Amino acid sequence: MADPEECDRTAVLAVERSMTGRSWVRRLAPAEERTALALAQRHGLPHVVASVLAGRGMTTENAETELAPTMRALMPDPSTLTDCDALVARLADAVTAAEPVAIFSDYDVDGATAAAVVARVLRAYGREPRVMIPDRVSDGYGPSVALMETLVADGARVVLCLDCGSGAIEPVAAAKAAGADVLVIDHHPVDTLAAADAVVNPNRADDLSGLGHCAAVGVAFVAMVGLVRELKRRGVAAPDGPPDLMALLDCVALGTVADVVPLSGLNRAFVRTGLQTFRRRGNRGLAALVTVARLGGPVDAEHLGYVLGPRINAGGRIGDSGLGARLLLTENDAEAEEIAATLDGLNADRRAMERRALEEAVAMADESAPVVVVAGDWHPGVVGLVAARLKERTRHPAIAIALGDGQGVGSGRSMPGVDLGAAIRKAAADGLLVKGGGHPMAAGLTVEIDKIPDLTSFLTAALGESVAEAAAADQLKIDAVVGLRALDVTLAQTLEAHGPWGSSRPKPVLALDDVVLERVQPVGQGDSLRLTLRSLCGARATAMAFRAGGPLGARLKASAGEAVHLAVELSHGVFRGEDRAEIIVLDAAAANTAMQRAA
């Protein structure tokens, strides 16, 4: 590796334009390289690992906390959340007076896990709340007037909205008019708060808690800590002893990772501690889900995001939206196994739907367009996934629209530097959409079918310049250049120990200099490739390139037998009880070197 004092942000391995059209640059500036050296020396870290950590905000000042984040050190006082004391007091009143409580939660993993955390705490005090999860297609996102009135008509005196409700002005008003108190635990920013009895949302303008990076399940956990504290202060005892809050961190970890919130600060402590809880298999539903997912080794953050999370989500996408919450709340092994098997089957169906829709979308997409817009006869529950895959393939913002009776329901994904949500809100304000909204990286919309061409033209005009600028600046940040022999189990385990990796704390990207692609083989029926690699010094390894159906896959196949530079991720895996290093190829570039001639 080059002397860190000489490193700058010029192209790594002289890669100005890779097979995916990106330049490779060093993640660390010279000052951060000096920090990496200091971290390596003071804490006995391998320089590769120290470089990775310095590139994710670790300094000599915060190293102790970053190296070992704990709940004890990072857990805040619940009272720092605006309105949390009022929410806790009202829930404590409901517990002591045995008032019926209804939970209305979102249909995604964050919503399901938040519902499980709150319901399990209330259950510990002998109160079984009703849990309602809306249908993604027929009900849409968030509470409606009709659903709120139904909950109150069925007897709820307190309605608690989770992962939604902050801006539900009319539904909240309707529930209150019908005689219920309404509480909200959420994390979505809104312009105008609903007039609920308490809105606990760290992203409301007057909240100073500093917890705006938390998912709703994390906010709910903090609020439940406050509830247990308040009930203890009032002398209210749980029949079987105080609830074990730490045992709920498996759900908190799952929801945090699946909602792709930044894995820093408290969130990182949630996930690290929650993974330890996960491995004890105390939640019957999660244990059953791990079994049907056929996970061979200990559960890690990638399993939460890519294996378990999608199965919880499958019910909300194409089946019964309440299945995920019911799985997380069941105390019956047989029921847990039945629900887990159903979710596993729905996830397989979802993947088949997604694969078919993606094939059709790729065939019709204008991949050179600034914003790729496609529409087809697809299930609304998979269009967000299709848009994400198109964005990965084209490296441009993409919108996929499921066509219905005169209207289409769409979902979009964007790229850094392109505010898709703002463009969609403008399109809605201009009358091009029935409704639409979102944030810079993702958006949702409903559009009349005959206006889809106008929408496409609008987005091209509105975002064309910013897409061009973002594409020109598209870079892959490299943490270190290493040799093939260095990508072993020891390094994989060491990097895993310093995780979890995710949003705002991206997984390390390592560059391999001059390796020969001895073999490039398609795997299965998808678009993945298995690569056999050989280095100049004779080291050999196998790597995988997943979802390589676009330019990367085509160019890797064409480069078989040649020398290339590779950008890779390294994971620790377990296969048949044996630890192994798993190399995942993210990008590649031709290597015009002496090795190329020798190959």
Side-chain angles (χ1 to χ4, degrees), residues 69-71 74-76 211 213-215 217-222 249-250 252-254 256 263-277 304 500:
T70 64
M71 292 293 297
L74 295 169
M75 184 67 192
L211 299 178
H213 62 300
C214 289
V217 67
V219 182
F221 179 84
V222 174
L249 287 175
D250 48 9
V252 179
L254 176 58
T256 296
L263 293 187
S264 57
L266 181 60
N267 284 343
R268 188 158 170 250
F270 279 153
V271 176
R272 283 175 66 97
T273 311
L275 286 172
Q276 297 170 15
T277 305
L304 301 187

PDB file of all heavy atoms in Angstrom, residues 69-71 74-76 211 213-215 217-222 249-250 252-254 256 263-277 304 500:
ATOM      1  N   PRO A  69     -19.462   0.537  21.195  1.00  0.00           N
ATOM      2  CA  PRO A  69     -20.679   1.276  21.534  1.00  0.00           C
ATOM      3  C   PRO A  69     -21.597   0.422  22.414  1.00  0.00           C
ATOM      4  O   PRO A  69     -21.836  -0.750  22.105  1.00  0.00           O
ATOM      5  CB  PRO A  69     -21.321   1.544  20.162  1.00  0.00           C
ATOM      6  CG  PRO A  69     -20.821   0.441  19.295  1.00  0.00           C
ATOM      7  CD  PRO A  69     -19.431   0.142  19.763  1.00  0.00           C
ATOM      8  N   THR A  70     -22.077   1.001  23.496  1.00  0.00           N
ATOM      9  CA  THR A  70     -22.923   0.245  24.421  1.00  0.00           C
ATOM     10  C   THR A  70     -24.227   0.988  24.664  1.00  0.00           C
ATOM     11  O   THR A  70     -24.297   2.216  24.551  1.00  0.00           O
ATOM     12  CB  THR A  70     -22.224   0.034  25.773  1.00  0.00           C
ATOM     13  OG1 THR A  70     -22.013   1.307  26.395  1.00  0.00           O
ATOM     14  CG2 THR A  70     -20.893  -0.681  25.591  1.00  0.00           C
ATOM     15  N   MET A  71     -25.256   0.235  25.001  1.00  0.00           N
ATOM     16  CA  MET A  71     -26.533   0.837  25.344  1.00  0.00           C
ATOM     17  C   MET A  71     -26.389   1.723  26.576  1.00  0.00           C
ATOM     18  O   MET A  71     -26.991   2.794  26.654  1.00  0.00           O
ATOM     19  CB  MET A  71     -27.569  -0.256  25.593  1.00  0.00           C
ATOM     20  CG  MET A  71     -27.962  -1.057  24.364  1.00  0.00           C
ATOM     21  SD  MET A  71     -28.864  -0.043  23.156  1.00  0.00           S
ATOM     22  CE  MET A  71     -30.303   0.384  24.118  1.00  0.00           C
ATOM     23  N   LEU A  74     -24.911   5.089  25.518  1.00  0.00           N
ATOM     24  CA  LEU A  74     -25.573   5.872  24.475  1.00  0.00           C
ATOM     25  C   LEU A  74     -27.075   6.040  24.667  1.00  0.00           C
ATOM     26  O   LEU A  74     -27.698   6.853  23.974  1.00  0.00           O
ATOM     27  CB  LEU A  74     -25.302   5.220  23.102  1.00  0.00           C
ATOM     28  CG  LEU A  74     -23.833   5.243  22.670  1.00  0.00           C
ATOM     29  CD1 LEU A  74     -23.614   4.350  21.452  1.00  0.00           C
ATOM     30  CD2 LEU A  74     -23.374   6.658  22.359  1.00  0.00           C
ATOM     31  N   MET A  75     -27.685   5.300  25.591  1.00  0.00           N
ATOM     32  CA  MET A  75     -29.127   5.396  25.779  1.00  0.00           C
ATOM     33  C   MET A  75     -29.505   6.745  26.386  1.00  0.00           C
ATOM     34  O   MET A  75     -28.999   7.143  27.432  1.00  0.00           O
ATOM     35  CB  MET A  75     -29.599   4.267  26.716  1.00  0.00           C
ATOM     36  CG  MET A  75     -31.106   4.230  26.906  1.00  0.00           C
ATOM     37  SD  MET A  75     -31.984   3.773  25.400  1.00  0.00           S
ATOM     38  CE  MET A  75     -33.650   4.191  25.890  1.00  0.00           C
ATOM     39  N   PRO A  76     -30.400   7.492  25.718  1.00  0.00           N
ATOM     40  CA  PRO A  76     -30.765   8.810  26.224  1.00  0.00           C
ATOM     41  C   PRO A  76     -31.870   8.738  27.277  1.00  0.00           C
ATOM     42  O   PRO A  76     -32.532   7.701  27.443  1.00  0.00           O
ATOM     43  CB  PRO A  76     -31.287   9.517  24.972  1.00  0.00           C
ATOM     44  CG  PRO A  76     -31.930   8.405  24.197  1.00  0.00           C
ATOM     45  CD  PRO A  76     -31.068   7.184  24.440  1.00  0.00           C
ATOM     46  N   LEU A 211     -32.157  12.581  18.203  1.00  0.00           N
ATOM     47  CA  LEU A 211     -32.440  11.203  17.799  1.00  0.00           C
ATOM     48  C   LEU A 211     -33.092  11.114  16.427  1.00  0.00           C
ATOM     49  O   LEU A 211     -33.717  10.105  16.092  1.00  0.00           O
ATOM     50  CB  LEU A 211     -33.338  10.524  18.845  1.00  0.00           C
ATOM     51  CG  LEU A 211     -32.764  10.415  20.255  1.00  0.00           C
ATOM     52  CD1 LEU A 211     -33.775   9.769  21.196  1.00  0.00           C
ATOM     53  CD2 LEU A 211     -31.458   9.624  20.246  1.00  0.00           C
ATOM     54  N   HIS A 213     -31.982  10.457  13.681  1.00  0.00           N
ATOM     55  CA  HIS A 213     -31.488   9.382  12.820  1.00  0.00           C
ATOM     56  C   HIS A 213     -32.133   8.040  13.150  1.00  0.00           C
ATOM     57  O   HIS A 213     -31.913   7.057  12.436  1.00  0.00           O
ATOM     58  CB  HIS A 213     -29.969   9.264  12.963  1.00  0.00           C
ATOM     59  CG  HIS A 213     -29.510   8.902  14.352  1.00  0.00           C
ATOM     60  ND1 HIS A 213     -29.779   9.675  15.461  1.00  0.00           N
ATOM     61  CD2 HIS A 213     -28.791   7.846  14.807  1.00  0.00           C
ATOM     62  CE1 HIS A 213     -29.244   9.112  16.524  1.00  0.00           C
ATOM     63  NE2 HIS A 213     -28.655   7.999  16.165  1.00  0.00           N
ATOM     64  N   CYS A 214     -32.926   7.958  14.211  1.00  0.00           N
ATOM     65  CA  CYS A 214     -33.518   6.688  14.629  1.00  0.00           C
ATOM     66  C   CYS A 214     -34.724   6.322  13.785  1.00  0.00           C
ATOM     67  O   CYS A 214     -35.480   7.177  13.332  1.00  0.00           O
ATOM     68  CB  CYS A 214     -33.945   6.749  16.099  1.00  0.00           C
ATOM     69  SG  CYS A 214     -32.587   6.772  17.277  1.00  0.00           S
ATOM     70  N   ALA A 215     -34.910   5.022  13.582  1.00  0.00           N
ATOM     71  CA  ALA A 215     -36.141   4.520  12.988  1.00  0.00           C
ATOM     72  C   ALA A 215     -37.257   4.617  14.017  1.00  0.00           C
ATOM     73  O   ALA A 215     -37.016   4.855  15.208  1.00  0.00           O
ATOM     74  CB  ALA A 215     -35.957   3.070  12.536  1.00  0.00           C
ATOM     75  N   VAL A 217     -38.971   2.268  15.285  1.00  0.00           N
ATOM     76  CA  VAL A 217     -38.835   1.245  16.325  1.00  0.00           C
ATOM     77  C   VAL A 217     -37.842   1.676  17.386  1.00  0.00           C
ATOM     78  O   VAL A 217     -38.016   1.370  18.584  1.00  0.00           O
ATOM     79  CB  VAL A 217     -38.434  -0.114  15.708  1.00  0.00           C
ATOM     80  CG1 VAL A 217     -37.027  -0.069  15.109  1.00  0.00           C
ATOM     81  CG2 VAL A 217     -38.552  -1.224  16.728  1.00  0.00           C
ATOM     82  N   GLY A 218     -36.798   2.413  17.010  1.00  0.00           N
ATOM     83  CA  GLY A 218     -35.858   2.917  18.006  1.00  0.00           C
ATOM     84  C   GLY A 218     -36.489   3.959  18.893  1.00  0.00           C
ATOM     85  O   GLY A 218     -36.293   3.967  20.118  1.00  0.00           O
ATOM     86  N   VAL A 219     -37.279   4.856  18.295  1.00  0.00           N
ATOM     87  CA  VAL A 219     -37.993   5.871  19.084  1.00  0.00           C
ATOM     88  C   VAL A 219     -38.987   5.189  20.013  1.00  0.00           C
ATOM     89  O   VAL A 219     -39.131   5.566  21.189  1.00  0.00           O
ATOM     90  CB  VAL A 219     -38.696   6.881  18.162  1.00  0.00           C
ATOM     91  CG1 VAL A 219     -39.386   7.965  18.991  1.00  0.00           C
ATOM     92  CG2 VAL A 219     -37.711   7.521  17.191  1.00  0.00           C
ATOM     93  N   ALA A 220     -39.681   4.174  19.501  1.00  0.00           N
ATOM     94  CA  ALA A 220     -40.646   3.437  20.325  1.00  0.00           C
ATOM     95  C   ALA A 220     -39.958   2.771  21.512  1.00  0.00           C
ATOM     96  O   ALA A 220     -40.495   2.753  22.630  1.00  0.00           O
ATOM     97  CB  ALA A 220     -41.374   2.401  19.472  1.00  0.00           C
ATOM     98  N   PHE A 221     -38.775   2.214  21.278  1.00  0.00           N
ATOM     99  CA  PHE A 221     -38.050   1.576  22.378  1.00  0.00           C
ATOM    100  C   PHE A 221     -37.709   2.589  23.460  1.00  0.00           C
ATOM    101  O   PHE A 221     -37.895   2.318  24.658  1.00  0.00           O
ATOM    102  CB  PHE A 221     -36.776   0.916  21.848  1.00  0.00           C
ATOM    103  CG  PHE A 221     -35.952   0.245  22.918  1.00  0.00           C
ATOM    104  CD1 PHE A 221     -36.253  -1.039  23.331  1.00  0.00           C
ATOM    105  CD2 PHE A 221     -34.901   0.910  23.532  1.00  0.00           C
ATOM    106  CE1 PHE A 221     -35.508  -1.661  24.333  1.00  0.00           C
ATOM    107  CE2 PHE A 221     -34.142   0.305  24.525  1.00  0.00           C
ATOM    108  CZ  PHE A 221     -34.457  -0.985  24.929  1.00  0.00           C
ATOM    109  N   VAL A 222     -37.213   3.755  23.060  1.00  0.00           N
ATOM    110  CA  VAL A 222     -36.886   4.792  24.043  1.00  0.00           C
ATOM    111  C   VAL A 222     -38.140   5.182  24.824  1.00  0.00           C
ATOM    112  O   VAL A 222     -38.107   5.346  26.056  1.00  0.00           O
ATOM    113  CB  VAL A 222     -36.268   6.015  23.351  1.00  0.00           C
ATOM    114  CG1 VAL A 222     -36.054   7.152  24.350  1.00  0.00           C
ATOM    115  CG2 VAL A 222     -34.936   5.643  22.698  1.00  0.00           C
ATOM    116  N   LEU A 249     -34.518  -5.994  21.907  1.00  0.00           N
ATOM    117  CA  LEU A 249     -33.577  -5.362  20.986  1.00  0.00           C
ATOM    118  C   LEU A 249     -33.369  -6.157  19.703  1.00  0.00           C
ATOM    119  O   LEU A 249     -32.829  -5.627  18.730  1.00  0.00           O
ATOM    120  CB  LEU A 249     -32.247  -5.105  21.678  1.00  0.00           C
ATOM    121  CG  LEU A 249     -32.283  -3.953  22.696  1.00  0.00           C
ATOM    122  CD1 LEU A 249     -30.961  -3.849  23.436  1.00  0.00           C
ATOM    123  CD2 LEU A 249     -32.583  -2.622  22.002  1.00  0.00           C
ATOM    124  N   ASP A 250     -33.802  -7.433  19.658  1.00  0.00           N
ATOM    125  CA  ASP A 250     -33.755  -8.140  18.378  1.00  0.00           C
ATOM    126  C   ASP A 250     -34.713  -7.480  17.387  1.00  0.00           C
ATOM    127  O   ASP A 250     -34.370  -7.243  16.226  1.00  0.00           O
ATOM    128  CB  ASP A 250     -34.054  -9.630  18.535  1.00  0.00           C
ATOM    129  CG  ASP A 250     -35.284  -9.934  19.382  1.00  0.00           C
ATOM    130  OD1 ASP A 250     -36.038  -8.999  19.734  1.00  0.00           O
ATOM    131  OD2 ASP A 250     -35.491 -11.117  19.699  1.00  0.00           O
ATOM    132  N   VAL A 252     -35.747  -4.343  17.603  1.00  0.00           N
ATOM    133  CA  VAL A 252     -35.228  -2.996  17.346  1.00  0.00           C
ATOM    134  C   VAL A 252     -34.126  -3.050  16.290  1.00  0.00           C
ATOM    135  O   VAL A 252     -34.085  -2.230  15.366  1.00  0.00           O
ATOM    136  CB  VAL A 252     -34.711  -2.350  18.641  1.00  0.00           C
ATOM    137  CG1 VAL A 252     -34.149  -0.959  18.356  1.00  0.00           C
ATOM    138  CG2 VAL A 252     -35.827  -2.251  19.682  1.00  0.00           C
ATOM    139  N   ALA A 253     -33.242  -4.026  16.399  1.00  0.00           N
ATOM    140  CA  ALA A 253     -32.163  -4.165  15.417  1.00  0.00           C
ATOM    141  C   ALA A 253     -32.720  -4.439  14.030  1.00  0.00           C
ATOM    142  O   ALA A 253     -32.276  -3.845  13.037  1.00  0.00           O
ATOM    143  CB  ALA A 253     -31.215  -5.288  15.839  1.00  0.00           C
ATOM    144  N   LEU A 254     -33.690  -5.332  13.937  1.00  0.00           N
ATOM    145  CA  LEU A 254     -34.278  -5.683  12.646  1.00  0.00           C
ATOM    146  C   LEU A 254     -34.917  -4.469  11.980  1.00  0.00           C
ATOM    147  O   LEU A 254     -34.667  -4.178  10.801  1.00  0.00           O
ATOM    148  CB  LEU A 254     -35.304  -6.796  12.824  1.00  0.00           C
ATOM    149  CG  LEU A 254     -36.086  -7.227  11.581  1.00  0.00           C
ATOM    150  CD1 LEU A 254     -35.151  -7.684  10.471  1.00  0.00           C
ATOM    151  CD2 LEU A 254     -37.077  -8.335  11.946  1.00  0.00           C
ATOM    152  N   THR A 256     -34.371  -1.304  12.600  1.00  0.00           N
ATOM    153  CA  THR A 256     -33.375  -0.256  12.344  1.00  0.00           C
ATOM    154  C   THR A 256     -32.622  -0.517  11.049  1.00  0.00           C
ATOM    155  O   THR A 256     -32.448   0.379  10.217  1.00  0.00           O
ATOM    156  CB  THR A 256     -32.398  -0.165  13.530  1.00  0.00           C
ATOM    157  OG1 THR A 256     -33.127   0.239  14.704  1.00  0.00           O
ATOM    158  CG2 THR A 256     -31.285   0.828  13.270  1.00  0.00           C
ATOM    159  N   LEU A 263     -26.472   3.990  10.630  1.00  0.00           N
ATOM    160  CA  LEU A 263     -26.012   3.091  11.690  1.00  0.00           C
ATOM    161  C   LEU A 263     -24.893   3.754  12.478  1.00  0.00           C
ATOM    162  O   LEU A 263     -23.746   3.292  12.509  1.00  0.00           O
ATOM    163  CB  LEU A 263     -25.555   1.766  11.092  1.00  0.00           C
ATOM    164  CG  LEU A 263     -26.661   0.913  10.472  1.00  0.00           C
ATOM    165  CD1 LEU A 263     -26.122  -0.447  10.072  1.00  0.00           C
ATOM    166  CD2 LEU A 263     -27.843   0.756  11.430  1.00  0.00           C
ATOM    167  N   SER A 264     -25.242   4.851  13.132  1.00  0.00           N
ATOM    168  CA  SER A 264     -24.303   5.589  13.960  1.00  0.00           C
ATOM    169  C   SER A 264     -24.931   5.824  15.328  1.00  0.00           C
ATOM    170  O   SER A 264     -26.150   5.697  15.493  1.00  0.00           O
ATOM    171  CB  SER A 264     -23.952   6.935  13.304  1.00  0.00           C
ATOM    172  OG  SER A 264     -25.133   7.696  13.075  1.00  0.00           O
ATOM    173  N   GLY A 265     -24.087   6.151  16.294  1.00  0.00           N
ATOM    174  CA  GLY A 265     -24.588   6.480  17.625  1.00  0.00           C
ATOM    175  C   GLY A 265     -25.466   5.396  18.218  1.00  0.00           C
ATOM    176  O   GLY A 265     -25.115   4.208  18.230  1.00  0.00           O
ATOM    177  N   LEU A 266     -26.625   5.809  18.715  1.00  0.00           N
ATOM    178  CA  LEU A 266     -27.539   4.884  19.375  1.00  0.00           C
ATOM    179  C   LEU A 266     -27.967   3.754  18.445  1.00  0.00           C
ATOM    180  O   LEU A 266     -28.118   2.601  18.877  1.00  0.00           O
ATOM    181  CB  LEU A 266     -28.763   5.651  19.890  1.00  0.00           C
ATOM    182  CG  LEU A 266     -29.818   4.834  20.640  1.00  0.00           C
ATOM    183  CD1 LEU A 266     -29.226   4.169  21.875  1.00  0.00           C
ATOM    184  CD2 LEU A 266     -30.997   5.726  21.026  1.00  0.00           C
ATOM    185  N   ASN A 267     -28.184   4.051  17.172  1.00  0.00           N
ATOM    186  CA  ASN A 267     -28.598   2.999  16.241  1.00  0.00           C
ATOM    187  C   ASN A 267     -27.569   1.875  16.167  1.00  0.00           C
ATOM    188  O   ASN A 267     -27.920   0.694  16.066  1.00  0.00           O
ATOM    189  CB  ASN A 267     -28.812   3.577  14.840  1.00  0.00           C
ATOM    190  CG  ASN A 267     -30.113   4.338  14.725  1.00  0.00           C
ATOM    191  OD1 ASN A 267     -31.006   4.204  15.552  1.00  0.00           O
ATOM    192  ND2 ASN A 267     -30.225   5.148  13.687  1.00  0.00           N
ATOM    193  N   ARG A 268     -26.310   2.242  16.186  1.00  0.00           N
ATOM    194  CA  ARG A 268     -25.271   1.209  16.122  1.00  0.00           C
ATOM    195  C   ARG A 268     -25.301   0.350  17.380  1.00  0.00           C
ATOM    196  O   ARG A 268     -25.149  -0.877  17.314  1.00  0.00           O
ATOM    197  CB  ARG A 268     -23.911   1.872  15.936  1.00  0.00           C
ATOM    198  CG  ARG A 268     -22.802   0.870  15.667  1.00  0.00           C
ATOM    199  CD  ARG A 268     -21.615   1.503  14.969  1.00  0.00           C
ATOM    200  NE  ARG A 268     -20.499   0.571  14.954  1.00  0.00           N
ATOM    201  CZ  ARG A 268     -19.379   0.710  15.654  1.00  0.00           C
ATOM    202  NH1 ARG A 268     -19.213   1.803  16.392  1.00  0.00           N
ATOM    203  NH2 ARG A 268     -18.428  -0.189  15.596  1.00  0.00           N
ATOM    204  N   ALA A 269     -25.530   0.982  18.529  1.00  0.00           N
ATOM    205  CA  ALA A 269     -25.648   0.210  19.773  1.00  0.00           C
ATOM    206  C   ALA A 269     -26.876  -0.686  19.727  1.00  0.00           C
ATOM    207  O   ALA A 269     -26.839  -1.844  20.168  1.00  0.00           O
ATOM    208  CB  ALA A 269     -25.718   1.161  20.968  1.00  0.00           C
ATOM    209  N   PHE A 270     -28.001  -0.172  19.194  1.00  0.00           N
ATOM    210  CA  PHE A 270     -29.197  -0.999  19.039  1.00  0.00           C
ATOM    211  C   PHE A 270     -28.879  -2.267  18.248  1.00  0.00           C
ATOM    212  O   PHE A 270     -29.273  -3.374  18.627  1.00  0.00           O
ATOM    213  CB  PHE A 270     -30.279  -0.222  18.272  1.00  0.00           C
ATOM    214  CG  PHE A 270     -31.092   0.749  19.092  1.00  0.00           C
ATOM    215  CD1 PHE A 270     -31.655   1.859  18.483  1.00  0.00           C
ATOM    216  CD2 PHE A 270     -31.316   0.541  20.434  1.00  0.00           C
ATOM    217  CE1 PHE A 270     -32.424   2.753  19.205  1.00  0.00           C
ATOM    218  CE2 PHE A 270     -32.082   1.439  21.182  1.00  0.00           C
ATOM    219  CZ  PHE A 270     -32.650   2.554  20.564  1.00  0.00           C
ATOM    220  N   VAL A 271     -28.189  -2.100  17.120  1.00  0.00           N
ATOM    221  CA  VAL A 271     -27.963  -3.241  16.233  1.00  0.00           C
ATOM    222  C   VAL A 271     -26.937  -4.203  16.815  1.00  0.00           C
ATOM    223  O   VAL A 271     -27.140  -5.425  16.811  1.00  0.00           O
ATOM    224  CB  VAL A 271     -27.549  -2.761  14.828  1.00  0.00           C
ATOM    225  CG1 VAL A 271     -27.222  -3.945  13.929  1.00  0.00           C
ATOM    226  CG2 VAL A 271     -28.668  -1.932  14.204  1.00  0.00           C
ATOM    227  N   ARG A 272     -25.838  -3.690  17.343  1.00  0.00           N
ATOM    228  CA  ARG A 272     -24.826  -4.584  17.915  1.00  0.00           C
ATOM    229  C   ARG A 272     -25.394  -5.393  19.077  1.00  0.00           C
ATOM    230  O   ARG A 272     -25.193  -6.609  19.158  1.00  0.00           O
ATOM    231  CB  ARG A 272     -23.609  -3.776  18.377  1.00  0.00           C
ATOM    232  CG  ARG A 272     -22.708  -3.330  17.231  1.00  0.00           C
ATOM    233  CD  ARG A 272     -21.600  -2.426  17.733  1.00  0.00           C
ATOM    234  NE  ARG A 272     -20.664  -3.109  18.612  1.00  0.00           N
ATOM    235  CZ  ARG A 272     -19.502  -3.617  18.208  1.00  0.00           C
ATOM    236  NH1 ARG A 272     -19.147  -3.543  16.943  1.00  0.00           N
ATOM    237  NH2 ARG A 272     -18.693  -4.194  19.076  1.00  0.00           N
ATOM    238  N   THR A 273     -26.114  -4.724  19.963  1.00  0.00           N
ATOM    239  CA  THR A 273     -26.707  -5.435  21.100  1.00  0.00           C
ATOM    240  C   THR A 273     -27.856  -6.326  20.641  1.00  0.00           C
ATOM    241  O   THR A 273     -28.026  -7.447  21.131  1.00  0.00           O
ATOM    242  CB  THR A 273     -27.201  -4.436  22.158  1.00  0.00           C
ATOM    243  OG1 THR A 273     -26.176  -3.487  22.444  1.00  0.00           O
ATOM    244  CG2 THR A 273     -27.600  -5.149  23.445  1.00  0.00           C
ATOM    245  N   GLY A 274     -28.635  -5.831  19.690  1.00  0.00           N
ATOM    246  CA  GLY A 274     -29.755  -6.612  19.183  1.00  0.00           C
ATOM    247  C   GLY A 274     -29.325  -7.885  18.496  1.00  0.00           C
ATOM    248  O   GLY A 274     -30.020  -8.914  18.582  1.00  0.00           O
ATOM    249  N   LEU A 275     -28.189  -7.880  17.816  1.00  0.00           N
ATOM    250  CA  LEU A 275     -27.701  -9.108  17.180  1.00  0.00           C
ATOM    251  C   LEU A 275     -27.337 -10.154  18.226  1.00  0.00           C
ATOM    252  O   LEU A 275     -27.545 -11.356  18.020  1.00  0.00           O
ATOM    253  CB  LEU A 275     -26.496  -8.789  16.290  1.00  0.00           C
ATOM    254  CG  LEU A 275     -26.817  -8.067  14.980  1.00  0.00           C
ATOM    255  CD1 LEU A 275     -25.535  -7.636  14.280  1.00  0.00           C
ATOM    256  CD2 LEU A 275     -27.667  -8.938  14.067  1.00  0.00           C
ATOM    257  N   GLN A 276     -26.804  -9.712  19.359  1.00  0.00           N
ATOM    258  CA  GLN A 276     -26.532 -10.659  20.447  1.00  0.00           C
ATOM    259  C   GLN A 276     -27.834 -11.251  20.969  1.00  0.00           C
ATOM    260  O   GLN A 276     -27.928 -12.456  21.245  1.00  0.00           O
ATOM    261  CB  GLN A 276     -25.773  -9.952  21.561  1.00  0.00           C
ATOM    262  CG  GLN A 276     -24.399  -9.432  21.153  1.00  0.00           C
ATOM    263  CD  GLN A 276     -23.777  -8.531  22.209  1.00  0.00           C
ATOM    264  OE1 GLN A 276     -24.221  -8.495  23.351  1.00  0.00           O
ATOM    265  NE2 GLN A 276     -22.753  -7.786  21.817  1.00  0.00           N
ATOM    266  N   THR A 277     -28.868 -10.403  21.097  1.00  0.00           N
ATOM    267  CA  THR A 277     -30.178 -10.887  21.532  1.00  0.00           C
ATOM    268  C   THR A 277     -30.750 -11.868  20.515  1.00  0.00           C
ATOM    269  O   THR A 277     -31.337 -12.900  20.884  1.00  0.00           O
ATOM    270  CB  THR A 277     -31.141  -9.695  21.712  1.00  0.00           C
ATOM    271  OG1 THR A 277     -30.564  -8.755  22.607  1.00  0.00           O
ATOM    272  CG2 THR A 277     -32.488 -10.153  22.239  1.00  0.00           C
ATOM    273  N   LEU A 304     -30.255  -9.332   8.455  1.00  0.00           N
ATOM    274  CA  LEU A 304     -31.428  -8.527   8.816  1.00  0.00           C
ATOM    275  C   LEU A 304     -31.941  -7.767   7.596  1.00  0.00           C
ATOM    276  O   LEU A 304     -33.151  -7.725   7.336  1.00  0.00           O
ATOM    277  CB  LEU A 304     -31.076  -7.528   9.924  1.00  0.00           C
ATOM    278  CG  LEU A 304     -30.554  -8.089  11.252  1.00  0.00           C
ATOM    279  CD1 LEU A 304     -30.419  -6.956  12.269  1.00  0.00           C
ATOM    280  CD2 LEU A 304     -31.450  -9.181  11.803  1.00  0.00           C
ATOM    281  N   PRO A 500     -21.839  -2.887  12.937  1.00  0.00           N
ATOM    282  CA  PRO A 500     -22.433  -3.233  11.642  1.00  0.00           C
ATOM    283  C   PRO A 500     -22.216  -2.133  10.615  1.00  0.00           C
ATOM    284  O   PRO A 500     -21.987  -0.971  10.958  1.00  0.00           O
ATOM    285  CB  PRO A 500     -23.913  -3.392  11.981  1.00  0.00           C
ATOM    286  CG  PRO A 500     -24.126  -2.429  13.114  1.00  0.00           C
ATOM    287  CD  PRO A 500     -22.869  -2.497  13.929  1.00  0.00           C
TER     288      PRO A 500
END
